[in-house]
Amino acid sequence: MTQRLSRRAALGLAAASLAAGAGAQPAGPIRIIVPFAAGGSTDAVARLVTPGLTQRFGQPVVVENRSGAAGSIGTDAVAKAAPDGLTWLLTFDSHATLPALLASLPFNLTKDLDPVMLIGGAPYVLATRPDKPYRSLTDLVAAAKAKPDGVSYGSTGNGTLGHLTMMLLQARTGTSMPHLAYRGGGLAVNDTIAGHIEVMIGSAALLAPHISGGSLRAIGQFGPERLPALKDIPTAEESGFPGLQAEAWWGVFAPAGTPAPLVARMNAALRETLNEPRLRQQMEENQQARLVLSDPPALAAFIDQQVEIWGKVVRDNAIRAD
């Protein structure tokens, strides 16, 4: 508890220095490490912001993809980097499941990384091929009850928030649905469109283009409210599952000990970049994102909450990364 309070105090000082850090400048080219392969939403967000960051810092800002081990390899590289403002982590929601999902981590999620900004989130969505009989979350649950182990679902990987959300749904409804864990969103989408699995769960950023294009039909969403692009699709809470929420999110972190003025400088540069009307529109339309653009303490509190919620699901179901 003492450690946590000390950390909160340090984060409070970082937040207080947001304005004071406007003149701080890293001494060299800046790397943003994305701990996943190119082509996913995290990579897309990183590449969207780098031109604006390059302009604001007046020096090159590049994206470096270091994928593997559920995002822990790239995260470890940042945790072990010098706290000089030249290395940053832009990561995804699976970040919060790492302590429970992997038996041993080479870094400590809170001690070795300092929070910078929660960029925003997008709800997880359930979708199916349009000729499948499911038109709502209620339909899916009814079918799974009528035919135990007969309604399969896909996710973008074992231990992802999509997978964990479906585990919660099954626990709440007393159903059993076989899980197919894919090593990427594209493969899961292709098999859902082909009819090899009944439904899939993925972020709205992944599924929205296929839903709007007609190759998939949304049957439920797990955000706190309906997305404008899916205004006719009820949330899980509206469908009778209070508290069942799951959102993909993107956050930025620095190596622990990065000076507060440099953290403040990156926070301000990200905020200015993502508040540009064109970029905000791209995030809202292409990624279906609800932008937050938080300060460091808000991200720290959010991570604590996410680790507690999803870590329990991982432990209760003895889930391990592939």
Side-chain angles (χ1 to χ4, degrees):
M1 179 64 74
T2 300
Q3 281 185 334
R4 178 167 292 189
L5 288 172
S6 297
R7 181 166 175 264
R8 287 287 181 270
L11 290 171
L13 290 174
S17 69
L18 282 176
Q25 184 73 15
I30 297 168
R31 294 184 304 161
I32 296 181
I33 292 182
V34 171
F36 307 102
S41 70
T42 311
D43 180 66
V45 171
R47 294 183 189 279
L48 185 67
V49 300
T50 49
L53 295 180
T54 296
Q55 176 185 356
R56 286 169 173 82
F57 281 105
Q59 57 198 41
V61 179
V62 298
V63 175
E64 184 177 319
N65 298 92
R66 290 202 187 183
S67 62
S72 65
I73 291 176
T75 302
D76 185 49
V78 176
K80 289 179 168 54
D84 54 11
L86 299 181
T87 306
W88 307 83
L89 176 73
L90 199 162
T91 192
F92 196 51
D93 56 44
S94 56
H95 184 79
T97 67
L98 289 175
L101 195 60
L102 299 177
S104 60
L105 282 176
F107 58 88
N108 183 290
L109 207 64
T110 55
K111 292 180 181 178
D112 296 334
L113 294 164
D114 286 345
V116 178
M117 172 182 281
L118 174 62
I119 291 175
Y124 273 85
V125 174
L126 266 172
T128 187
R129 202 164 89 160
D131 61 356
K132 295 290 185 180
Y134 323 109
R135 294 190 169 274
S136 67
L137 193 54
T138 304
D139 287 348
L140 180 68
V141 170
K145 286 183 175 180
K147 193 177 180 182
D149 294 318
V151 179
S152 59
Y153 74 94
S155 78
T156 56
N158 208 46
T160 59
L161 255 61
H163 176 208
L164 301 183
T165 302
M166 292 301 288
M167 296 300 293
L168 283 176
L169 179 65
Q170 290 171 86
R172 294 271 291 268
T173 58
T175 55
S176 177
M177 292 181 268
H179 173 225
L180 286 85
Y182 290 82
R183 292 189 179 275
L187 295 173
V189 167
N190 290 343
D191 271 9
T192 308
I193 292 172
H196 299 319
I197 52 177
E198 295 297 291
V199 299
M200 76 160 288
I201 186 167
S203 71
L206 172 66
L207 295 178
H210 306 281
I211 293 167
S212 63
S215 57
L216 290 176
R217 180 176 67 230
I219 62 173
Q221 54 184 310
F222 293 89
E225 56 189 26
R226 298 187 189 191
L227 279 175
L230 297 174
K231 62 181 184 302
D232 296 326
I233 308 301
T235 66
E237 291 192 322
E238 290 174 320
S239 299
F241 302 99
L244 186 55
Q245 293 185 15
E247 284 197 286
W249 54 265
W250 305 274
V252 178
F253 297 82
T258 299
L262 290 176
V263 170
R265 178 82 166 94
M266 176 58 79
N267 183 288
L270 284 165
R271 186 184 307 275
E272 291 170 10
T273 297
L274 286 162
N275 269 326
E276 292 180 12
R278 180 182 60 83
L279 266 69
R280 177 174 280 273
Q281 182 178 9
Q282 284 183 271
M283 286 292 294
E284 291 173 348
E285 293 182 357
N286 297 347
Q287 304 298 333
Q288 298 296 307
R290 174 183 56 84
L291 289 179
V292 177
L293 309 182
S294 80
D295 60 16
L299 174 56
F302 177 78
I303 286 295
D304 287 347
Q305 177 196 53
Q306 292 290 294
V307 168
E308 181 177 352
I309 292 171
W310 298 113
K312 184 177 187 305
V313 180
V314 172
R315 291 188 295 270
D316 288 351
N317 294 279
I319 296 169
R320 285 290 174 261
D322 294 330

